[in-house]
Amino acid sequence: MPALKPLKKAVLPVAGLGTRFLPATKAMAKEMLPVVDRPLIQYAIDEAREAGIEQFCLITGRGKTAIVEHFDVAYELERTLAERNKQAELDVLRAMAMEPGSMVTVRQQVPMGLGHAIWCARSFIADEPFAILLPDDLMQCDVSCTKQLADAYLETGGNVVAIEEVPMERVNKYGVLDVDKDMGRLVLVKGLVEKPPIDKAPSNLTVIGRYVLMPEVIGHLAKMEKGAGGEVQLTDGMAKLIGNQPFHGVRYEGKRFDCGDKTGFLEAQIAFALKRDDMAPAVREFLKKYT
Ligand code: UTP
């Protein structure tokens, strides 16, 4: 295998309308919704950093400026915290400080679909491999999900996507794999289809919101072909890479919470609170009242 280009870039699309969370998302970005005390976007950035990602591109849209502010230095806040000797709170802010120049934003003026959002990052991606993290998929795992993909990329080269098995009756909500060879943790992919009818789905292995892709996907997305739901689908662009480049699914080890969905979001709150020593006993106690 020729030497692989290192994986240093990540694209995080945050330009969606978040209609399932209206009215909460009328004036506020869905990606700023907190799970316990961290906004969804911060979990995604932290996860990417754990995988060695150094450059970040947020695909933003109208009403998303709070996300950019979140990663800026809050100078007055920090000074006030320092004056009040709030060291623990200051440490929280400083731990999330971004390296100057490591985060750029690109505007997707009209949310035409995930594939279109990724195409908007084409100058940032240039000719390098890149990760994609959809912040509304929240991961809880020992090894960062993006790190699991980055490790698989070093093994296989080419494109790798995180996958999950779902009950057959739910496959029509996801991008679905057509499997060439199932090797356990890794699955060699021979096709991909976005939101297939249940009786036409090639498997129940579905793509979740973490990817490592080769820059050639941009050329396919540039054709702006509309797929499922009349949107430019990333799945369709990725499908065109198969046959020309390696394409693998990685059975991700850990839990995934679909925080774009109200029930998934609530479950994430409980799961993450139960992992916190300062909260778990009280949360366990109050949960008894509801079961
Ligand atoms: P979703 O379909 O889950 O997000 O897209 P949405 O469209 O905001 O949510 P609903 O369905 O209306 O409630 C997955 C990810 O892709 C981004 C979203 O911001 C989200 O992070 N996205 C989607 C874009 O950036 N642009 C798009 O055109 C579509």
Side-chain angles (χ1 to χ4, degrees), residues 7-288:
L7 179 67
K8 294 290 166 198
K9 292 182 175 177
V11 178
L12 296 98
V14 296
L17 299 177
T19 53
R20 284 169 291 170
F21 264 101
L22 284 170
T25 47
K26 188 178 167 207
M28 189 187 70
K30 171 173 73 172
E31 298 78 11
M32 287 302 291
L33 292 171
V35 169
V36 184
D37 52 11
R38 273 202 285 174
L40 289 172
I41 185 69
Q42 198 185 327
Y43 285 98
I45 294 282
D46 291 348
E47 179 191 319
R49 286 167 123 185
E50 275 179 58
I53 300 290
E54 293 172 359
Q55 297 172 52
F56 304 86
C57 178
L58 303 180
I59 313 297
T60 68
R62 288 166 63 81
K64 303 283 179 167
T65 40
I67 299 178
V68 183
E69 292 290 325
H70 183 74
F71 292 102
D72 203 352
V73 174
Y75 178 72
E76 287 174 10
L77 174 61
E78 288 194 18
R79 197 184 51 193
T80 308
L81 291 174
E83 280 166 8
R84 295 181 186 174
N85 289 320
K86 299 259 184 198
Q87 194 53 47
E89 290 79 356
L90 264 175
D91 291 345
V92 167
L93 294 187
R94 292 196 174 143
M96 59 170 283
M98 302 295 293
E99 186 74 19
S102 64
M103 181 177 272
V104 298
T105 62
V106 167
R107 193 89 166 178
Q108 185 194 27
Q109 291 90 340
V110 183
M112 289 168 60
L114 181 57
H116 180 263
I118 300 303
W119 173 80
C120 289
R122 61 198 178 282
S123 302
F124 169 81
I125 294 164
D127 60 352
E128 293 186 46
F130 64 103
I132 301 174
L133 294 91
L134 307 188
D136 42 8
D137 265 349
L138 179 58
M139 307 304 189
Q140 193 177 54
C141 38
D142 295 334
V143 176
S144 134
C145 181
T146 303
K147 170 95 169 65
Q148 293 181 35
L149 292 189
D151 290 346
Y153 164 69
L154 291 179
E155 244 175 85
T156 63
N159 306 274
V160 286
V161 295
I163 58 170
E164 187 174 81
E165 269 173 53
V166 302
M168 210 59 203
E169 58 271 21
R170 282 177 40 216
V171 285
N172 56 347
K173 296 182 170 48
Y174 297 92
V176 179
L177 265 57
D178 194 355
V179 175
D180 188 358
K181 195 168 164 204
D182 194 334
M183 298 165 282
R185 184 175 74 93
L186 290 176
V187 174
L188 185 62
V189 181
K190 66 173 177 196
L192 284 168
V193 45
E194 182 66 27
K195 301 189 176 69
I198 294 168
D199 57 336
K200 300 228 163 62
S203 76
N204 67 340
L205 286 177
T206 60
V207 181
I208 56 177
R210 299 292 185 272
Y211 316 70
V212 171
L213 297 183
M214 298 302 104
E216 288 76 14
V217 73
I218 295 297
H220 298 298
L221 296 174
K223 293 181 188 131
M224 293 298 145
E225 287 164 2
K226 292 198 174 131
E231 297 193 337
V232 180
Q233 295 288 354
L234 178 61
T235 305
D236 298 338
M238 293 192 303
K240 301 220 172 79
L241 297 171
I242 298 167
N244 299 316
Q245 297 178 337
F247 204 113
H248 290 86
V250 178
R251 281 194 172 85
Y252 147 71
E253 280 173 32
K255 289 198 189 115
R256 175 186 78 103
F257 300 94
D258 177 5
C259 290
D261 168 80
K262 289 185 267 281
T263 311
F265 180 67
L266 271 178
E267 191 183 345
Q269 302 286 353
I270 304 292
F272 276 74
L274 288 173
K275 288 273 177 198
R276 294 262 301 246
D277 293 341
D278 58 335
M279 296 179 71
V283 173
R284 260 194 209 100
E285 197 52 40
F286 82 60
L287 280 176
K288 285 184 199 155

